[in-house]
Amino acid sequence: MAHLKTAVSKGDHTLGNPKAAKVLVEYGDYQCPHCGLAFPFINRLLDNYGDEILFVFRNFPLQESHPAAMMAALAAEAAGLQGKFWEMHDMIFEHQASLSADTLLHLAEKLQLDMQKFSQDWRSQELMSRVEGDFEGGLRSGVNGTPTFFLNGARYDHYNETYESLEQMMRD
């Protein structure tokens, strides 16, 4: 069984209870249809398990299959520098079928981001390095597709695109 090689840290994007006994890490791709299917399941898991879970999202853009994935990851990170990572994350998944530079700029405007700062950050080497760091950490952890989930450091290989399979992971 594969294990998470990069420990969860303050630099990660997290939702939920930082002291939770269950830490769920997703390596995801914003243009991946399977990640799009998992998105509402993760939100439901967070609603149902509340303080029992900490969720971490890490970027794993599969650029050969999903040409807009890197651009979307960089947009989420750029929004994160203005305190709106999760809002952009959610909006990107909600508009997954129409991802483009124009769509991402429209979403940033909708979030009332400082557009000059967003445009600069979106193209910055700093954010590119962050996304590449997530990707490399995923590779070291045995990630070879998206979404890939790790619960408390151990890869969970029984996700079958149902909410019930994620809920089973929480009960195991």
Side-chain angles (χ1 to χ4, degrees):
M1 176 182 291
H3 292 280
L4 194 61
K5 302 291 186 213
T6 306
V8 173
S9 71
K10 290 180 185 175
D12 279 305
H13 297 291
T14 63
L15 279 176
N17 179 3
K19 297 182 188 311
K22 303 224 180 211
V23 178
L24 177 63
V25 176
E26 175 187 357
Y27 279 91
D29 171 320
Y30 286 109
Q31 201 174 12
C32 167
H34 306 287
C35 294
L37 283 171
F39 169 68
F41 300 151
I42 295 297
N43 287 337
R44 188 170 159 197
L45 208 62
L46 289 166
D47 286 344
N48 290 343
Y49 285 88
D51 284 346
E52 296 176 50
I53 187 172
L54 177 69
F55 175 64
V56 178
F57 183 85
R58 291 182 176 166
N59 294 293
F60 201 81
L62 299 169
Q63 296 178 76
E64 287 184 24
S65 327
H66 306 127
M70 177 61 85
M71 171 176 38
L74 292 167
E77 294 295 338
L81 293 177
Q82 295 186 47
K84 300 228 173 156
F85 173 83
W86 289 109
E87 292 89 339
M88 181 62 94
H89 166 89
D90 292 358
M91 289 175 79
I92 291 170
F93 276 122
E94 290 162 3
H95 294 85
Q96 186 183 55
S98 60
L99 285 184
S100 68
D102 287 344
T103 300
L104 294 166
L105 287 168
H106 174 73
L107 297 178
E109 288 172 352
K110 205 168 173 181
L111 288 173
Q112 300 181 329
L113 298 178
D114 174 331
M115 292 307 292
Q116 183 175 354
K117 179 172 176 22
F118 176 82
S119 293
Q120 288 174 333
D121 292 338
W122 191 19
R123 293 169 175 78
S124 76
Q125 185 56 49
E126 177 189 341
L127 292 187
M128 179 64 80
S129 295
R130 179 185 172 108
V131 172
E132 288 172 347
D134 277 1
F135 190 85
E136 289 165 12
L139 290 176
R140 284 193 309 275
S141 300
V143 175
N144 56 11
T146 56
T148 297
F149 296 104
F150 291 82
L151 182 65
N152 293 343
R155 189 166 75 192
Y156 180 70
D157 291 324
H158 304 291
Y159 171 66
N160 64 8
E161 298 189 347
T162 65
Y163 173 76
E164 292 73 22
S165 63
L166 285 177
E167 193 172 49
Q168 183 62 46
M169 169 188 61
M170 292 296 292
R171 289 193 300 256
D172 287 347

